[in-house]
Amino acid sequence: MRSSGQGCWVLLISVGLCCVHRARPRNVLLILADDGGFESGAYNNSAISTPHLDALARRSLVFRNAFTSVSSCSPSRASLLTGLPQHLCLQHQNGMYGLHQDVHHFNSFDRVQSLPLLLGRAGIHTGIIGKKHVGPEMVYPFDFAYTEENGSVLQVGRNITRIKLLVRKFLQTRGDRPFFLYVAFHDPHRCGHSQPQYGAFCEKFGNGESGMGRIPDWTPQTYNPKDVQVPYFVPDTPAARADLAAQYTTIGRMDQGIGLVLQELRGAGVLNDTLVIFTSDNGIPFPSGRTNLYWPGTAEPMLVSSPEHPKRWGQVSEAYVSLLDLTPTILDWFSIPYPSYAIFGTKTVQLTGRSLLPVLEAEPLWTTVFGSQSYHEVTMSYPMRSVHHQNFHLVHNLHFKMPFPIDQDFYISPTFQDLLNRTTAGQPTGWYKDLHQYYYRERWELYDRNQDPHETHNLAADPRYTQVLELLQTQLVKWQWETHDPWVCAPDGVLEEKLAPQCRPLHNEL
Ligand SMILES: *[C@@H]1O[C@H](CO)[C@@H](O)[C@H](O)[C@H]1NC(C)=O
Ligand SMILES: *[C@@H]1O[C@H](CO)[C@@H](O)[C@H](O)[C@H]1NC(C)=O
Ligand SMILES: *[C@@H]1O[C@H](CO)[C@@H](O)[C@H](O)[C@H]1NC(C)=O
Ligand SMILES: *[C@@H]1O[C@H](CO)[C@@H](O)[C@H](O)[C@H]1NC(C)=O
Ligand SMILES: *[C@@H]1O[C@H](CO)[C@@H](O)[C@H](O)[C@H]1NC(C)=O
C-alpha cells in the first residue's frame, strides 16, 4: 500500500502529464460477471429479462466476437488485469496458470506490472468490490478493496444492496481524483459446491424466504424450466432446464445490481465521464463451457460504453477482440503508456492486445484471437492452445491422450450428474455429444464456424483443409513463441532455452 503522501505526489505529476487539458477527470467502471454468458436481451435471448444490461447495450458497442484468452476464473482475471496471457502472466505470460484459492495456490509473477498498479502509480483512485481471486497482493494493489479476502464473497459479490452501498462509499472516498472501479460480481457463478443451501446458482440467497435472508434492493424473477432457451451445448433434459432456470434468476440479480451501480455513478454526477465496460471471465459452467477452449468456453459478452463515442451506440461489432484488449483500452482512455520492463532476464514484456477505443468510431478488420489454457484446479492439467481466425477455429490439445478433466464445481451440478446418470443407465442424454467424445479429444481440432457453428465436425484430417490447418498452426506457434509459452514445443518436443531457444525432438511417436 502506498502512503497517502506518495499518492499526492503521484497525483500532482499525473495531472501535469495527462489530464491538464480536460476540465473533468475521466473514469473507468469495469463490471465483470462470474461465469456469465449470453443470457441477456442484449444478446437476443428473449426468454430472460435483463432490462439494465439491455439499457447499457443501447449506449454501448456490443461485441459479438469477444473471447477470453483462458477459460478459467483466476487466470482469466489475471489476464484481464495485466493484459498478459496466462502462460506469461502465470501460464504463459502473467504466471496465473490456474485457480488462486486453497491448495491450488496459483499466483502471478511478482514482477508483473498490473493494471491497478499502473493506474495507482499515475494517481488514479483504484477500487475493487467483489471477487478478486488473483494474487499476490503486491501485484494487484487497490486503494479501496472489499473482496473475499476480507469479507464474505456472498456479501461483496451477490448482495446487490451491499454492493450499491460500497460503490457509494468508494465514490465518497475518492475526493475529486479520476477513478478506476472494478465491480466483480460473484453472480451468476454456481453455488452447489460451496453453499448448496441457497440452490444450484445461489438463486435463493437473499430472496426473503425462510432462512434465505433478504437483499432489500432485489426483486427476484423466477423462470419456468419450460421457458428457458437451452443452448446447443447443454443437454435438453428436465434437470438441465431447471439448472438454467436457476441460472437465469441469478443473472437477474446481477442485472438489477448493475442498474444500482450505474445509478450510484449517475447520482454522483460522474457517469457521463466514465467508460463503462461489461464482460465475463469465462464461459458458462455447462459442458463445453468453462475450462474448455471451445466457443462456449471462451466467447464472452462484451459491452463498451463511452460517453465520448456515441457514434456506434447500439451497434454490433463483428471484430474479433479479447479480454487481453481491456488493459490496453483502459490505459489508452487514461493516456498512460505501458512501461518497458522484463519479468525474466532481459525479454521485454509486450502487450499483445490493443485498445478498443478506435473500434468505437469505425469497424476494424480484426479477425484473429488466441486462447491458452493449462489448468483450472491444480489437478486439472490439460494444456490447450487455440486460435480463431475469421470463421476458422483451431484447438491444439497437447495432452490429448488423457481424458479431459472435470472440475469439482461442475461435477456436482445437476446437469452433469444427470448426464452421468443417463449415460451409465443407457438412457438418451438429449446432448449433442457423448461422454466418450467429450473426454477423448483429437490432438488437433479444426472447425469452420460458418458451416458448423456447433463445432462438431473436425476438419483437421480433411485434405481439403490442409492449407487452412497449416496457416492456423503457424499463427498459433508464432504467438506461443512471442508470448514465451513454456509449452511451445509440447507434446512431441522439449524446449531447450539456453543460447538460442529451440524445440528438440522427443521421438515419442507423436
Ligand atoms: C440480435 O438480432 C438482430 C436481428 O436479427 C441482429 O441484427 C443483431 O445483430 C443481434 N445482436 C447480437 C448481439 O447478436
Ligand atoms: C476490507 O479492506 C478495506 C481496506 O481495503 C477496509 O476498509 C475494510 O474495512 C475491510 N473490510 C473488512 C470487513 O474487514
Ligand atoms: C445484504 O446487505 C444489506 C446491507 O448491508 C443487509 O441489510 C442485508 O441483510 C444483506 N442481505 C443478506 C441476504 O445478507
Ligand atoms: C456527456 O459527455 C459528452 C462527451 O464528453 C458530451 O458531449 C455530452 O454533452 C455530455 N452529456 C451530458 C448529459 O452531460
Ligand atoms: C443421479 O443418480 C444418483 C444415484 O442414483 C442420484 O442420487 C442422483 O439424484 C441422480 N442425479 C440426477 C441429477 O439425476
Side-chain angles (χ1 to χ4, degrees):
M1 282 281 148
R2 292 189 321 270
S3 75
S4 56
Q6 273 170 313
C8 273
W9 274 110
V10 175
L11 174 64
L12 289 175
I13 294 165
S14 81
V15 168
L17 289 180
C18 84
C19 309
V20 84
H21 56 284
R22 272 183 62 84
R24 306 170 65 155
R26 281 176 158 184
N27 314 303
V28 171
L29 170 66
L30 173 58
I31 305 172
L32 197 68
D34 198 357
D35 296 352
F38 297 93
E39 298 72 29
S40 65
Y43 281 94
N44 287 338
N45 184 325
S46 53
I48 187 169
S49 165
T50 51
H52 300 283
L53 273 172
D54 303 356
L56 180 62
R58 289 193 288 274
R59 293 173 48 91
S60 298
L61 183 61
V62 178
F63 287 89
R64 202 209 299 280
N65 293 310
F67 294 90
T68 175
S69 65
V70 49
S71 188
S72 177
C73 171
S74 299
S76 173
R77 285 156 201 261
S79 297
L80 191 154
L81 292 176
T82 61
L84 306 176
Q86 51 100 11
H87 51 250
L88 213 166
C89 178
L90 264 181
Q91 280 186 23
H92 312 207
Q93 248 198 32
N94 65 32
M96 180 70 87
Y97 295 103
L99 295 179
H100 173 63
Q101 90 279 15
D102 303 338
V103 296
H104 313 300
H105 198 65
F106 288 105
N107 274 303
S108 295
F109 298 126
D110 288 354
R111 278 200 239 162
V112 168
Q113 302 206 11
S114 73
L115 183 64
L117 184 94
L118 296 173
L119 297 180
R121 205 190 271 164
I124 289 157
H125 189 55
T126 58
I128 177 170
I129 297 168
K131 178 165 163 182
K132 186 171 177 198
H133 221 215
V134 292
E137 172 73 25
M138 61 181 282
V139 174
Y140 300 100
F142 285 90
D143 299 320
F144 179 100
Y146 286 82
T147 72
E148 77 279 7
E149 288 178 357
N150 75 349
S152 143
V153 74
L154 289 180
Q155 292 302 326
V156 296
R158 300 195 198 255
N159 183 342
I160 60 176
T161 298
R162 177 97 178 110
I163 293 167
K164 173 189 84 171
L165 296 173
L166 287 172
V167 170
R168 189 174 296 172
K169 183 167 167 160
F170 171 78
L171 292 172
Q172 282 162 357
T173 55
R174 79 184 175 106
D176 50 9
R177 281 194 280 170
F179 67 81
F180 167 67
L181 177 59
Y182 173 42
V183 177
F185 285 93
H186 192 26
D187 286 335
H189 194 283
R190 285 188 179 279
C191 196
H193 190 244
S194 52
Q195 314 272 351
Q197 69 274 27
Y198 295 125
F201 279 87
C202 259
E203 70 279 5
K204 297 179 191 153
F205 171 66
N207 72 2
E209 286 170 17
S210 153
M212 297 297 131
R214 181 179 296 283
I215 298 173
D217 287 287
W218 181 36
T219 309
Q221 299 144 282
T222 52
Y223 293 89
N224 188 326
K226 284 205 318 287
D227 299 332
V228 300
Q229 284 183 11
V230 182
Y232 69 83
F233 52 92
V234 175
D236 194 347
T237 57
R241 281 177 170 271
D243 219 8
L244 287 164
Q247 183 209 27
Y248 279 21
T249 296
T250 298
I251 291 169
R253 182 168 58 210
M254 177 186 72
D255 181 72
Q256 293 177 33
I258 290 170
L260 295 170
V261 170
L262 293 174
Q263 184 54 39
E264 287 303 312
L265 268 67
R266 197 177 289 115
V270 295
L271 186 58
N272 199 42
D273 301 317
T274 302
L275 178 72
V276 180
I277 300 171
F278 167 78
T279 188
S280 173
D281 57 347
N282 47 244
I284 66 175
F286 284 88
S288 296
R290 188 186 65 197
T291 75
N292 284 272
L293 292 186
Y294 297 129
W295 186 91
T298 58
E300 302 304 334
M302 193 189 286
L303 310 179
V304 179
S305 177
S306 163
E308 295 180 30
H309 302 82
K311 193 170 154 195
R312 302 195 67 200
W313 279 0
Q315 289 184 21
V316 176
S317 173
E318 305 289 338
Y320 280 71
V321 301
S322 165
L323 296 194
L324 294 175
D325 298 329
L326 294 184
T327 284
T329 303
I330 293 167
L331 291 176
D332 187 18
W333 174 261
F334 286 119
S335 304
I336 296 171
Y338 192 70
S340 172
Y341 71 103
I343 297 175
F344 299 114
T346 55
K347 295 179 204 161
T348 308
V349 176
Q350 304 286 342
L351 294 181
T352 51
R354 49 199 161 187
S355 171
L356 299 177
L357 297 184
V359 189
L360 305 182
E361 299 279 355
E363 183 76 356
L365 275 175
W366 292 355
T367 54
T368 310
V369 292
F370 297 96
S372 164
Q373 176 89 11
S374 297
Y375 302 89
H376 179 69
E377 294 164 4
V378 67
T379 49
M380 291 174 64
S381 170
Y382 195 84
M384 301 176 276
R385 301 293 181 260
S386 96
V387 55
H388 282 269
H389 181 66
Q390 295 167 344
N391 49 311
F392 290 106
H393 184 200
L394 178 70
V395 181
H396 186 194
N397 296 306
L398 276 60
H399 287 186
F400 64 102
K401 296 226 172 194
M402 67 171 261
F404 185 79
I406 303 295
D407 66 271
Q408 299 175 2
D409 178 56
F410 173 57
Y411 180 80
I412 54 135
S413 70
T415 298
F416 194 65
Q417 285 297 308
D418 181 57
L419 187 55
L420 290 176
N421 286 359
R422 285 170 181 268
T423 301
T424 52
Q427 289 167 359
T429 60
W431 195 31
Y432 80 134
K433 288 186 177 175
D434 63 43
L435 274 180
H436 181 83
Q437 268 181 300
Y438 191 68
Y439 285 136
Y440 296 97
R441 303 180 179 190
E442 304 284 337
R443 175 171 176 187
W444 296 99
E445 297 182 71
L446 176 67
Y447 299 107
D448 177 350
R449 294 195 33 85
N450 278 355
Q451 308 294 325
D452 176 26
H454 298 177
E455 304 183 328
T456 54
H457 191 57
N458 184 3
L459 302 169
D462 184 331
R464 289 171 301 169
Y465 290 87
T466 305
Q467 277 192 320
V468 175
L469 177 66
E470 286 173 2
L471 171 72
L472 270 69
Q473 285 173 327
T474 305
Q475 286 178 322
L476 191 55
V477 91
K478 181 166 175 284
W479 181 72
Q480 289 183 269
W481 281 112
E482 281 170 7
T483 56
H484 312 299
D485 183 357
W487 278 265
V488 65
C489 303
D492 44 354
V494 164
L495 172 61
E496 284 297 341
E497 287 200 274
K498 292 301 166 211
L499 306 176
Q502 55 178 306
C503 293
R504 305 285 297 274
L506 281 165
H507 303 294
N508 60 7
E509 298 166 37
L510 298 181

